[in-house]
Amino acid sequence: MQPASRSQKVVKKHYEDTIANPVSFEQYAHLLEPDVLDQLKQLFPSGQAQMWGIVPGQREVNVAHVKKMSAGDWVFFTGDKRLYLGGTIALMWRSPELAEELWEKNDNGQTWEYMYALSGTRGFDIPMDEIRSLLGWKSTRNVMGITVLGADDSDTLQTYLTLDPAPAAPRQDDPEQDDRAVAAYDGELERKATRAQRGEQAALKRRLLPGLTGQCALCGRELPGTFLIGAHIKKRAMCTDDEKRDLDNVAMLACTFGCDALFEHGYVTVAEGGALQVSPLAAAIPEIDTHIQERLAGRTVTWWSPKREPYYQWHRTHTFKELPPA
């Protein structure tokens, strides 16, 4: 978790210079090590990438945190009581010279020399109170410095915000480590669903699909029930018990021909009133963009209703893929 309050003048300028406006490799090639430059070009064929950095800190307090970070990790930016940006660390390197050129030095004479490039970024607008509650933090806890979360908190946050994997350099781990971990793993290989949950899912689909066929809420096609699922509008794991029992409103039918996955991963959402919205990030993936334009663009979702609106609103806020804030 990267603290970066854009209400602070310095942070705002850094954000505008290297996140809102990605850094050109060609312009700064003379300050990039050849191997770093090569990796950046492979990861970002466009020749530019969003970049951020971390200062060593007094007595190098941040260095221990930096050592726990690696390419492929999720990163979330927080500030002004909000979580507002998420993405993947695509590459990490150290360059005092480039950092000083991009961001100068702070009042302590340090620069943000532990640098990383970001891929797959998207914008959020989530109150930190909500994040604290999700992770079981004290109400007074704030992200004051670079914070590396444990595996459980990381998985919880990534699932909550539906951050998808993005291009990243290979990890510098032992290549046999993953194979050894699988061989040595003696825990459960499958997560067992409880009977209650299975019963709930069956009841949900029966409620939404009383006959042999039904209509996909998103594309509107009438399809055999085999190809429709009861898709939660708000993530089931984040629903209260009362919301889980609200079978008439908490879910909708979505087809397995792409609509369920597009909604689940935030490439489409439903606006208040029922207009289907398309994520501006969908255009970057031609196959997804083509499917949306052919099947979904311009549709009005008849499944929308005032009672379902709170669930659609949650999806728009937490799952729908917005552009990073300008």
Side-chain angles (χ1 to χ4, degrees), residues 8-137:
Q8 299 176 14
K9 185 177 179 180
V10 171
V11 175
K12 181 180 180 181
K13 186 175 190 311
H14 289 184
Y15 183 91
E16 291 173 349
D17 288 347
T18 62
I19 297 290
N21 296 287
V23 177
S24 165
F25 310 149
E26 186 68 29
Q27 183 176 352
Y28 298 100
H30 62 293
L31 296 173
L32 286 162
E33 294 291 334
D35 63 326
V36 172
L37 181 58
D38 287 344
Q39 289 183 82
L40 286 171
K41 287 180 176 179
Q42 291 178 25
L43 290 165
F44 302 96
S46 66
Q48 58 182 10
Q50 298 168 317
M51 294 184 185
W52 203 252
I54 302 167
V55 296
Q58 293 185 355
R59 299 181 181 178
E60 298 197 333
V61 67
N62 289 331
V63 176
H65 297 297
V66 171
K67 289 180 178 178
K68 296 178 183 178
M69 299 164 59
S70 62
D73 287 349
W74 314 111
V75 59
F76 298 96
F77 280 51
T78 68
D80 305 308
K81 301 181 180 180
R82 320 292 289 184
L83 185 151
Y84 65 88
L85 181 74
T88 295
I89 297 176
L91 185 68
M92 295 188 69
W93 71 98
R94 186 180 183 186
S95 177
E97 297 80 14
L98 177 56
E100 185 172 352
E101 180 71 17
L102 293 174
W103 304 304
E104 301 180 341
K105 290 184 177 182
N106 64 14
D107 293 339
N108 295 321
Q110 294 187 335
T111 191
W112 293 261
E113 61 194 74
Y114 292 97
M115 300 184 61
Y116 57 88
L118 291 130
S119 60
T121 56
R122 52 172 292 205
F124 297 98
D125 186 21
I126 311 294
M128 282 304 297
D129 282 343
E130 193 171 317
I131 301 299
R132 280 190 283 266
S133 177
L134 174 73
L135 301 180
W137 291 1

Side-chain angles (χ1 to χ4, degrees), residues 120-121 267 278-290 292 321 323:
T121 56
Y267 286 105
V278 178
S279 167
L281 300 180
I285 309 175
E287 294 80 2
I288 289 177
D289 187 52
T290 297
I292 290 174
K321 285 180 164 55
L323 287 171

Side-chain angles (χ1 to χ4, degrees), residues 39 101 188 213 243 263:
Q39 289 183 82
E101 180 71 17
E188 292 183 358
T213 65
E243 288 174 336
F263 188 82

